[in-house]
């Protein structure tokens, strides 16, 4: 399980979707794009160690799947 961080553009590659404060998680898998708020609230590394950003829905889903820790824990 990966750590999660309060969204911070410094983690993300300049010019990327994530660096602009938008959710990159749903940009990728698309399935929940309609319920995506687009606003990044969390920064995390995916299983390939790439930095991703997620909206509140993405955070909920990733925690549920055991991919990242709930925000604010394990600091
Ligand atoms: Zn999203």
């Amino acid at each position: 399980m990966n750590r999660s961080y309060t969204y911070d553009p410094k983690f993300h590659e300049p010019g990327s979707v994530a660096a602009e404060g938008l959710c990159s998680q749903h940009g990728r898998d698309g399935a929940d794009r309609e319920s995506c708020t687009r606003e990044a609230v969390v920064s995390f590394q995916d299983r390939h160690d790439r930095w991703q950003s997620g909206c509140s829905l993405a955070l909920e889903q990733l925690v549920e799947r055991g991919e990242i820790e709930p925000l604010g824990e394990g600091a």
Side-chain angles (χ1 to χ4, degrees):
M1 193 185 296
N2 285 328
R3 281 190 61 176
S4 59
Y5 302 82
T6 302
Y7 172 76
D8 191 325
K10 79 176 180 211
F11 291 124
H12 304 287
E13 209 175 297
S16 64
V17 169
E20 287 169 30
L22 300 173
C23 171
S24 71
Q25 177 67 15
H26 290 127
R28 277 190 318 150
D29 66 19
D32 296 297
R33 219 185 292 188
E34 282 179 26
S35 29
C36 178
T37 66
R38 309 280 290 142
E39 192 188 334
V41 298
V42 61
S43 297
F44 62 97
Q45 284 175 286
D46 67 16
R47 65 191 95 172
H48 309 290
D49 293 331
R50 280 189 295 244
W51 282 98
Q52 303 287 349
S53 58
C55 64
S56 49
L57 177 66
L59 173 60
E60 214 170 278
Q61 292 172 331
L62 289 159
V63 169
E64 218 163 83
R65 282 190 242 152
E67 293 193 29
I68 62 170
E69 295 171 355
L71 254 192
E73 286 182 25

